[in-house]
Amino acid sequence: RIKERLFKEYFKVAIGNKKISTTVNLGKRTLLDVKEKYENFLLNHPNKKNIAKQLERINRMIDSNIDTNLDARRNSKLKTFKKQHRKLYKRRFDSLSTDKVNEKLGKLLSKPVSVDRKRHIRELNKIYIQRLRKEKNYVLALDKAVAFYQLDKNDSLSLKMTRDLAKYTRNYNLLVSIERENHSLKNNFWSACALFDSLTRKNEHQKTTLPTEAETLLSFLFNQINEPSHTFEAMTRKAKLLIIRDDLENAKVTLLELIRSKWGISSAHVIDRVNILAAKYYKKINDVEKMNKVLGIAMNPNLFKDE
């Protein structure tokens, strides 16, 4: 055990501390001497799997010249190995079935909570939910996403996965509930946007009455503006609310203000958002021809570039 610990320290010197390695001055590469020591040690202790694994690592490092003065940023062999290793690490669960992934996740969840274990639980949750979505098991995927969100309500990944699945399965009551909880926790511009959007989405798809909470959220958004992108996001939601409330004259004024402020912009996000609002406006005033024209421009703008 003492030898094993000493060799480990010796190995660290060989790959990391050039000053000590030079002082020892073996007359040859320190890492080669470390390799010999590990090989002899393994001959006397053939059942030591960790030593065999370390020896494999040492051989790879010698082959990559990791202990020389070669800059790691210019070491092509080392960079290739690290790139391949990252790919293999990311795909290490690919051979497991969905049930096996769930089994591994269950074992992790049954153990005591720890910071190190938390990131592994997060990774397995992500893989398991993605597998369920791929298998079109959306109901179970949503249940697991909600459970994932309950583990850490400040985690952006669990929130996104729950949000996406709630939208996909059209579970708007759950979507509103999750966004309301998220806004109460974060109470910032973007959490208010997400809650506002969930309320309007529910209103559009379920034909329910839009609560007065939407107006409160809109006021909150305008009070929280502190950068140019915030103004656009708040204005588009104002236009949407005016259209829903049938305040069409003010909706038109707001839309024209938006269009003038973004004249000539190439951002697809901005263009799509304004086009959708314009189409909603024309639909509301029963001008189907103009609604279809706006949608036509959105789908193939080159056809209308001369107009």
Side-chain angles (χ1 to χ4, degrees), residues 60 63-64 76-92:
R60 188 176 68 246
D63 184 54
S64 299
S76 58
K77 279 190 175 181
L78 179 63
K79 286 168 78 174
T80 301
F81 168 76
K82 284 184 173 182
K83 188 176 180 180
Q84 290 171 344
H85 183 71
R86 278 195 299 271
K87 284 182 179 177
L88 288 170
Y89 184 77
K90 284 180 180 179
R91 300 174 67 92
R92 68 193 185 283

Side-chain angles (χ1 to χ4, degrees), residues 144-293:
K144 293 297 179 182
V146 172
F148 181 23
Y149 173 71
Q150 295 300 331
L151 285 174
D152 183 3
K153 292 176 182 178
N154 288 309
D155 180 55
S156 58
L157 176 64
S158 65
L159 175 63
K160 184 182 183 305
M161 296 189 96
T162 308
R163 180 185 284 158
D164 289 349
L165 278 159
K167 289 176 187 175
Y168 191 84
T169 57
R170 302 200 169 196
N171 192 335
Y172 299 114
N173 290 331
L174 174 64
L175 179 64
V176 170
S177 173
I178 291 289
E179 297 296 6
R180 196 170 275 143
E181 190 171 12
N182 180 55
H183 183 51
S184 68
L185 282 170
K186 296 174 182 172
N187 198 43
N188 60 29
F189 182 88
W190 296 110
S191 65
C193 280
L195 177 53
F196 180 93
D197 291 346
S198 69
L199 291 169
T200 55
R201 190 181 289 266
K202 182 182 176 182
N203 164 261
E204 287 172 347
H205 290 276
Q206 294 185 347
K207 308 300 179 189
T208 55
T209 304
L210 189 67
T212 53
E213 182 182 6
E215 278 86 356
T216 307
L217 285 166
L218 194 62
S219 297
F220 179 86
L221 289 176
F222 278 99
N223 288 330
Q224 291 290 311
I225 290 172
N226 54 32
E227 57 181 81
S229 64
H230 285 178
T231 304
F232 173 75
E233 297 296 333
M235 286 290 285
T236 54
R237 284 163 177 84
K238 178 185 176 182
K240 192 171 187 178
L241 184 62
L242 290 168
I243 292 168
I244 291 170
R245 297 291 194 213
D246 288 323
D247 189 351
L248 300 176
E249 194 55 45
N250 281 323
K252 182 179 178 180
V253 170
T254 305
L255 279 170
L256 288 171
E257 188 182 339
L258 262 175
I259 290 163
R260 289 190 191 101
S261 69
K262 296 298 179 182
W263 181 263
I265 200 164
S266 59
S267 166
H269 168 69
V270 171
I271 294 166
D272 289 347
R273 181 76 68 80
V274 176
N275 277 330
I276 289 167
L277 285 169
K280 285 180 185 293
Y281 169 79
Y282 284 127
K283 184 182 178 182
K284 199 80 171 183
I285 64 171
N286 294 316
D287 194 335
V288 178
E289 185 183 343
K290 284 183 180 175
M291 181 189 79
N292 288 333
K293 187 167 184 178

Side-chain angles (χ1 to χ4, degrees), residues 41-103:
F41 189 69
L42 194 60
L43 285 173
N44 298 318
H45 305 84
N47 296 324
K48 285 272 187 180
K49 290 182 181 179
N50 61 321
I51 297 298
K53 195 172 181 181
Q54 184 74 331
L55 185 58
E56 185 184 323
R57 186 183 175 202
I58 290 166
N59 283 324
R60 188 176 68 246
M61 288 182 168
I62 290 169
D63 184 54
S64 299
N65 294 315
I66 203 169
D67 58 325
T68 65
N69 290 323
L70 180 64
D71 190 335
R73 290 168 295 184
R74 297 187 182 91
N75 193 329
S76 58
K77 279 190 175 181
L78 179 63
K79 286 168 78 174
T80 301
F81 168 76
K82 284 184 173 182
K83 188 176 180 180
Q84 290 171 344
H85 183 71
R86 278 195 299 271
K87 284 182 179 177
L88 288 170
Y89 184 77
K90 284 180 180 179
R91 300 174 67 92
R92 68 193 185 283
F93 297 113
D94 284 8
S95 60
L96 297 180
S97 67
T98 305
D99 289 339
K100 281 287 182 186
V101 172
N102 187 36
E103 189 180 314

Side-chain angles (χ1 to χ4, degrees), residues 21-46:
S21 186
T22 306
T23 305
V24 172
N25 193 18
L26 294 170
K28 58 180 177 180
R29 284 171 70 182
T30 312
L31 199 56
L32 290 174
D33 194 59
V34 172
K35 178 187 172 183
E36 287 174 18
K37 284 177 166 54
Y38 268 91
E39 284 172 339
N40 292 331
F41 189 69
L42 194 60
L43 285 173
N44 298 318
H45 305 84

